Amino acid sequence: MSKQVVAVLFGGQSSEHDVSKVSAATIISNINTEKYSVIPVYITKEGKWLLYDGPLDSIGNNDWQKFASTCILSPDTEHHGLLRIVGDKVKNIPVDVVIPVLHGANGEDGTVQGLFELAKIPYVGCGVLSSAVSMNKAYTKIIVDTIGVDQAKYTIVYRPELSEDLDKCLDRVEEKCGYPCFVKPACAGSSVGITKAHNRDELIDGLWTASEHDRTIVIEENITGDELECAVLGNHDIQASAVGQIYAAEFYDYDAKYNNAESKTVIPANISNEKAEEIRKKAIEIFKVLDGRGLSRVDFFLEEKTNRVIFNEINTLPGFTSISMYPMLFRAAGIDTEELVDKLIELALTRNEE
C-alpha cells in the first residue's frame, strides 16, 4: 500500500519564525516514515515557499536550503497539492495532509487554514474560526466569558486610541486593572511584545511596545499564583493531559520559554488532585467553546490568595521543541512524541472524512 504524503509547513512571517523551525525539526524526526512520505516546506520571513528535497537529518541546519526549490500550495482542487516550480517547469505534487508548524501570525490565526480549506486538503489542528478567535486574546476572553470560567480583570485598547487620547486609555487601564498589570498584543505568540507595568510610565512604554506588534492591545490585572498548563487532544472525544507547572522569571516571557536555563517545568504540577481535575475539565470546556479541533495547550493560574483557577490563554499550535510543554505533557501521560504526531495526523484525516 502506498504511503500517504504529509507536507510539513514551517518558518513563516511571524515573530516566532525561529521557534517554528525547531518545532518542525522535532515533528519531522517523529513522523513514522513507514506510513508517511514527508515533504518539508519552508516559508521564509519574506513569505517565499521553498520545497526541500534533501536528507531529512539536515533539516535543522541551513545547508538544506541548497536542496530547495520554489513551490506554492495551490487552492485549485484539481491540482490538490503543491506546485513545484523549477525554471519554466511546474510539477504538481499531490498532498494527503498538511501539518502547519507555523506559530503566530499567518500560521496560527486562521489565514493558512483558509488556504487548506480552499484546496480541500486535510490539515492538523484547529479550523479557520477556532484558529482566528483563539489567536486573538481579546476575542478569546469575550467568548470564554460566556461559559463562566474565571479570568483576570482586563480591558482592551486599540492602537489609534493611543494617539487620540492617551490619558483616557491610561485612566481606563488603571481603573480596570490597577498595578502591576500585563500589556499584551492581542495576536502575538510566545509572549512576544508583552510587558509588565508597575506604574504609569511603564504602562505607557508597554502600550507603545504592544502597538508595534498589533492594533489590538489587551491589558490584564496581575495574578499572583502558580502558572499551570494543560494539553488537549481530539476532535469530539477530547483527551486532557496531566497538568504541568511553570517556574520561570518574573513572568514567562519569550526569553524564559526558550533561552533561560533557570526556567523549568514540573509534571505533574504540585497541586491537589481536585485542582488538577478542575483544570483538566476547564481546558476541555474552553477548547470546545472555541470550536477547537486536533490540539491545543490551555494555560491557567492558580491564584495564591483565593485558590481560584483562572484561565490565561489558549495556544492552538503550541511549540513542539524539546522543551515545549505540549509534547512533554503527553509524554507524562504515556504518549511519546511519535505516537502523538501519528494521532494528530489521524485526527486531521478523520475530521476531513466527517
Side-chain angles (χ1 to χ4, degrees):
M1 194 167 83
S2 61
K3 298 179 184 179
Q4 290 182 303
V5 178
V6 178
V8 179
L9 272 58
F10 64 101
Q13 294 179 273
S14 83
S15 55
E16 298 174 83
H17 179 98
D18 291 336
V19 178
S20 170
K21 291 196 290 186
V22 180
S23 292
T26 301
I27 288 175
I28 289 168
S29 65
N30 282 281
I31 292 177
N32 185 343
T33 53
E34 293 183 2
K35 292 175 63 175
Y36 305 108
S37 294
V38 182
I39 301 178
V41 177
Y42 173 55
I43 302 174
T44 70
K45 291 181 179 180
E46 295 73 35
K48 184 175 181 179
W49 289 42
L50 298 172
L51 188 150
Y52 173 65
D53 279 331
L56 293 180
D57 56 4
S58 297
I59 200 73
N61 59 56
N62 290 327
D63 291 341
W64 67 266
Q65 294 195 40
K66 65 186 179 183
F67 297 102
S69 55
T70 300
C71 73
I72 60 172
L73 182 70
S74 171
D76 185 336
T77 56
E78 182 179 345
H79 293 96
H80 200 73
L82 292 163
L83 299 181
R84 180 182 179 183
I85 304 168
V86 180
D88 59 355
K89 295 182 179 180
V90 178
K91 179 182 179 182
N92 177 224
I93 303 173
V95 172
D96 294 301
V97 63
V98 176
I99 306 179
V101 193
L102 297 165
H103 310 308
N106 299 317
E108 197 171 352
D109 57 5
T111 51
V112 79
Q113 286 79 11
L115 176 58
F116 304 148
E117 294 282 354
L118 289 172
K120 298 190 182 304
I121 299 175
Y123 58 94
V124 167
C126 292
V128 175
L129 174 66
S130 180
S131 298
V133 297
S134 298
M135 183 69 189
N136 189 304
K137 296 177 178 66
Y139 282 97
T140 299
K141 287 182 172 296
I142 291 167
I143 294 171
V144 172
D145 273 340
T146 66
I147 59 172
V149 172
D150 285 340
Q151 303 186 71
K153 295 175 184 176
Y154 69 94
T155 190
I156 299 167
V157 170
Y158 298 96
R159 186 191 294 136
E161 294 183 89
L162 300 180
S163 299
E164 292 167 3
D165 197 336
L166 179 59
D167 286 339
K168 185 177 180 180
C169 295
L170 300 174
D171 291 341
R172 185 165 82 242
V173 171
E174 290 171 342
E175 179 184 350
K176 290 273 190 179
C177 305
Y179 294 111
C181 61
F182 284 95
V183 186
K184 305 179 178 181
C187 291
S190 281
S191 301
V192 172
I194 295 179
T195 58
K196 187 175 184 179
H198 300 82
N199 52 55
R200 181 167 275 219
D201 287 341
E202 290 183 359
L203 176 58
I204 293 170
D205 290 341
L207 288 168
W208 285 114
T209 296
S211 74
E212 294 172 3
H213 297 273
D214 203 305
R215 177 182 180 274
T216 306
I217 305 162
V218 177
I219 304 93
E220 298 172 339
E221 69 168 327
N222 178 66
I223 301 294
T224 301
D226 295 327
E227 295 190 49
L228 305 163
E229 301 185 348
C230 182
V232 291
L233 175 70
N235 290 338
H236 303 293
D237 184 15
I238 312 302
Q239 177 182 356
S241 71
V243 177
Q245 189 167 0
I246 302 294
Y247 293 92
E250 186 173 10
F251 70 96
Y252 198 42
D253 60 5
Y254 185 95
D255 189 63
K257 286 180 179 180
Y258 301 112
N259 301 320
N260 190 341
E262 295 182 3
S263 298
K264 64 177 182 177
T265 57
V266 174
I267 305 172
N270 186 26
I271 59 176
S272 69
N273 291 335
E274 291 76 16
K275 286 298 173 183
E277 187 56 35
E278 181 182 349
I279 288 170
R280 286 160 49 85
K281 180 181 177 183
K282 288 183 175 178
I284 293 173
E285 289 176 355
I286 292 165
F287 186 64
K288 286 183 174 180
V289 77
L290 293 168
D291 196 33
R293 295 289 188 274
L295 77 161
S296 285
R297 195 194 71 238
V298 192
D299 301 347
F300 298 88
F301 295 107
L302 185 60
E303 192 173 33
E304 189 176 278
K305 291 182 178 180
T306 65
N307 209 33
R308 287 188 306 154
V309 172
I310 298 174
F311 169 62
N312 181 22
E313 64 180 20
I314 184 170
N315 292 271
T316 56
L317 282 172
F320 255 84
T321 73
S322 61
I323 60 171
S324 294
M325 279 290 273
Y326 189 87
M328 288 171 61
L329 286 166
F330 274 113
R331 278 201 299 272
I335 301 175
D336 65 26
T337 304
E338 182 174 322
E339 182 183 358
L340 182 59
V341 172
D342 198 59
K343 285 180 178 289
L344 290 170
I345 295 172
E346 289 177 2
L347 287 167
L349 295 168
T350 299
R351 181 179 66 186
N352 185 68
E353 291 171 0
E354 293 172 350

